[in-house]
Amino acid sequence: MNITRQDLGDLTASLQLDIQESDYSERVKKILKDYQKKAQMPGFRQGNVPFGVIQKMYGKAVLGDEIFKMIDEMIGNYLMENKVEILGSPLSDEEKTGVIDWDKQKDFTFHFTIALQPEIKLDLKKTKATLYEVEPDDAKVDEMVKNYQRRFGEISDPEVAGEKDMVYGTITELDDAGQPKAEGIKTFTSINIDTIAQKTIQKKFIGAKKEDVIVFNIAKAFKTTEEIAQHLRIDREKAETLKSDFSLEITGISHVEELPVDKDLFAKAFPKDKIKNETEFRNKIKETIVIEYQRTIDYKFLDEASQALIKKANLTLPDEFLKRWLKETNKELTVEQIENDYPKYRDSMVWQLIENKIIRDNEISVKKEDVKNYLKEFVIPNYFPVEEGNEEQEQQADMFAESMMKSEKDVKQIYDYLYDKALTDMLKQQVAVTAEKVSIEEFTKILEKKK
């Protein structure tokens, strides 16, 4: 059993695997012996079926399985022992390998092509990225104050909708004739009347009753694409092109008697903070808004830094190999799709190489305990409060965290987030950061421009 490597000069190499009968014969024989012990055939007691019969029935299939297992083991061991880092996975060179005669051949030779990772040189200090800091204006804080007043206010169900009430029901897309559009949008939604941008549409809702049907233009009713998408439960791209009229059949009306801005509201909104007056309350809201935007800010920073690093690295990749690898590992993709989307795939591969190097060089790691602490600190408090120093609640939180960690999908998402956060925090310290203060509206426009 032997591997011979030949470099092809374009970040690819050819591997020749030679396997002799002596390399696999004992493995195959052992498996066939196990089959013999379990085999049941008419005329023979269990375990007494002649070995020749078993070999004739299963020998070729077992041989093939074992040979391909050996191929995986040989390549894996070779790459590990020689510290060869590859892109994608090895691809079989069927032309060189030729046709295998599983009935007659005793010795086998297989050929594979591998793509080698390029050498990466990074100069983080000369890499530029912008770190935004959002500054909530008074209008945004006023909006949040109103939200808290409504969230903790007393709810009632009036017969007639007022300016500050919410109506809910089924919203339906209409065609040019004012009839429900075939295969159009139809969903349950709720609308706060005072959030409707156009006053003439807003007036249609004020004074409305249950079972009334209001017809209005969705694009004129709301200022932003995000609002349209949220009310219709559709993605942003689809919401951008909507110009249709919609009808809302009102099935319910909700009125909230807002709480006054006083200590009772402060305590309900922020139970862990001892807020004494409205100024402290508004400052706390500003802090909350900034925290809510921080993950998006960090994402924008990492995106900008990664694009700059990809450009600066200027890596050469074995593009033809990678296109073939994408095709063989994604059978549903056409050659045309791969050609069109390859620049995106390529940038993704380059960033993955850069990211892995940064993680290795800076010894960034995320442990199981980090995931558990994240769940206890940021996720579980959304389900029930955990008072500091309350041992019973802390034990419950610990048990809840252990239970949540049984979901591999959820744990992987947290691992990915914590790795990104650690990577982002490290880059903030090492790249050339330009700090820029912006309003929430300005930051939203920056994100939309990127999209």
Side-chain angles (χ1 to χ4, degrees):
M1 176 164 72
N2 183 55
I3 291 186
T4 306
R5 169 177 162 177
Q6 179 184 359
D7 290 334
L8 302 177
D10 59 348
L11 284 176
T12 59
S14 175
L15 298 181
Q16 178 176 311
L17 282 64
D18 296 306
I19 301 174
Q20 284 76 44
E21 184 178 12
S22 58
D23 297 324
Y24 63 79
S25 58
E26 286 302 315
R27 291 173 60 149
V28 171
K29 186 176 180 180
K30 181 178 182 302
I31 292 172
L32 292 176
K33 284 287 186 183
D34 289 339
Y35 280 19
Q36 185 184 27
K37 292 176 185 177
K38 300 171 185 175
Q40 297 183 25
M41 290 182 65
F44 299 97
R45 293 196 306 274
Q46 182 175 335
N48 284 348
V49 178
F51 183 77
V53 174
I54 298 295
Q55 189 172 36
K56 187 175 182 179
M57 292 175 64
Y58 303 109
K60 190 191 299 185
V62 171
L63 172 62
D65 285 346
E66 289 308 300
I67 289 292
F68 287 115
K69 285 180 185 177
M70 290 179 71
I71 289 172
D72 286 342
E73 291 168 7
M74 288 173 70
I75 294 177
N77 291 336
Y78 173 82
L79 297 177
M80 184 172 62
E81 290 168 6
N82 293 276
K83 297 181 180 178
V84 179
E85 294 184 318
I86 66 171
L87 295 170
S89 53
L91 294 179
S92 174
D93 188 334
E94 295 178 0
E95 186 176 344
K96 280 188 177 181
T97 298
V99 179
I100 303 296
D101 188 340
W102 296 102
D103 292 310
K104 296 180 179 179
Q105 277 186 243
K106 302 297 182 182
D107 299 334
F108 301 91
T109 297
F110 297 91
H111 295 269
F112 289 84
T113 306
I114 58 173
L116 309 173
Q117 291 188 16
E119 183 182 359
I120 303 172
K121 294 180 180 179
L122 300 176
D123 190 345
L124 296 180
K125 291 182 180 179
K126 291 184 179 179
T127 302
K128 298 178 181 180
T130 306
L131 183 59
Y132 293 98
E133 180 183 341
V134 296
E135 294 185 307
D137 56 18
D138 289 339
K140 183 64 177 179
V141 176
D142 290 341
E143 180 187 329
M144 292 298 294
V145 170
K146 281 290 181 187
N147 288 345
Y148 282 118
Q149 286 180 280
R150 288 180 175 180
R151 186 188 305 179
F152 299 105
E154 186 175 334
I155 301 173
S156 60
D157 301 310
E159 292 295 323
V160 179
E163 182 181 353
K164 294 185 178 181
D165 293 343
M166 180 184 74
V167 296
Y168 50 90
T170 301
I171 189 167
T172 306
E173 187 176 4
L174 304 178
D175 60 22
D176 293 340
Q179 298 300 312
K181 187 176 181 179
E183 299 182 3
I185 298 165
K186 185 174 183 179
T187 188
F188 183 84
T189 192
S190 61
I191 297 174
N192 288 310
I193 295 174
D194 62 355
T195 65
I196 298 173
Q198 193 175 91
K199 293 298 180 184
T200 53
I201 296 176
Q202 194 178 94
K203 286 178 181 178
K204 290 185 177 184
F205 284 87
I206 298 172
K209 300 176 182 178
K210 293 177 183 177
E211 299 183 2
D212 283 355
V213 177
I214 310 294
V215 175
F216 63 102
N217 186 280
I218 194 78
K220 295 177 181 177
F222 301 104
K223 290 182 179 179
T224 67
T225 303
E226 283 73 17
E227 289 178 286
I228 296 171
Q230 183 180 6
H231 283 97
L232 298 179
R233 304 177 190 274
I234 58 176
D235 58 48
R236 188 181 185 282
E237 287 70 23
K238 188 173 182 180
E240 281 181 335
T241 60
L242 271 180
K243 304 295 180 184
S244 310
D245 282 347
F246 281 76
S247 67
L248 178 70
E249 183 178 356
I250 299 173
T251 56
I253 303 168
S254 179
H255 175 77
V256 178
E257 193 63 40
E258 297 174 357
L259 279 186
V261 182
D262 56 19
K263 289 184 179 180
D264 184 31
L265 178 61
F266 306 156
K268 288 182 177 179
F270 302 104
K272 292 184 178 181
D273 301 275
K274 296 179 181 179
I275 297 174
K276 304 181 186 66
N277 53 53
E278 187 174 352
T279 300
E280 291 183 5
F281 181 56
R282 292 176 70 86
N283 286 338
K284 183 64 182 178
I285 287 174
K286 283 186 179 181
E287 289 177 21
T288 304
I289 294 171
V290 171
I291 290 170
E292 287 176 353
Y293 274 86
Q294 193 58 52
R295 184 177 288 196
T296 308
I297 289 169
D298 285 348
Y299 169 79
K300 180 69 179 74
F301 171 80
L302 182 59
D303 179 62
E304 192 172 316
S306 66
Q307 293 302 319
L309 286 166
I310 289 170
K311 188 175 181 180
K312 276 186 170 294
N314 194 28
L315 296 184
T316 299
L317 294 185
D319 295 317
E320 293 309 312
F321 173 94
L322 291 173
K323 289 175 185 178
R324 181 186 161 205
W325 174 72
L326 285 167
K327 177 59 182 171
E328 293 200 12
T329 54
N330 299 274
K331 298 295 185 183
E332 72 281 2
L333 294 179
T334 64
V335 173
E336 184 180 6
Q337 286 174 318
I338 290 174
E339 286 292 341
N340 290 338
D341 294 338
Y342 182 71
K344 295 177 184 177
Y345 291 130
R346 192 184 193 284
D347 279 356
S348 178
M349 292 176 197
V350 171
W351 171 240
Q352 191 172 30
L353 292 172
I354 293 171
E355 183 181 26
N356 289 341
K357 177 175 173 57
I358 293 173
I359 286 173
R360 286 196 306 268
D361 290 351
N362 293 272
E363 298 181 346
I364 295 172
S365 66
V366 176
K367 301 178 178 64
K368 180 180 177 182
E369 197 63 27
D370 297 326
V371 176
K372 187 175 180 180
N373 289 336
Y374 176 82
L375 287 168
K376 290 170 69 174
E377 187 173 352
F378 297 103
V379 179
I380 292 172
N382 293 326
Y383 295 92
F384 62 85
V386 181
E387 297 175 9
E388 192 173 346
N390 187 321
E391 290 186 12
E392 184 178 352
Q393 288 184 351
E394 288 177 358
Q395 287 177 357
Q396 288 178 336
D398 195 75
M399 291 172 60
F400 199 4
E402 287 288 348
S403 176
M404 294 177 77
M405 289 183 70
K406 292 178 182 177
S407 169
E408 290 183 10
K409 181 181 177 182
D410 291 342
V411 168
K412 184 184 182 304
Q413 287 179 340
I414 296 172
Y415 264 109
D416 291 344
Y417 166 69
L418 292 178
Y419 265 112
D420 279 350
K421 187 177 185 308
L423 179 64
T424 303
D425 291 343
M426 187 280 299
L427 288 174
K428 286 179 184 178
Q429 302 300 317
Q430 296 199 28
V431 305
V433 175
T434 300
E436 186 175 336
K437 292 185 178 181
V438 292
S439 68
I440 290 174
E441 185 177 358
E442 288 171 333
F443 185 62
T444 302
K445 288 180 179 177
I446 290 168
L447 294 178
E448 288 178 348
K449 186 177 179 181
K450 173 63 181 174
K451 288 178 183 177

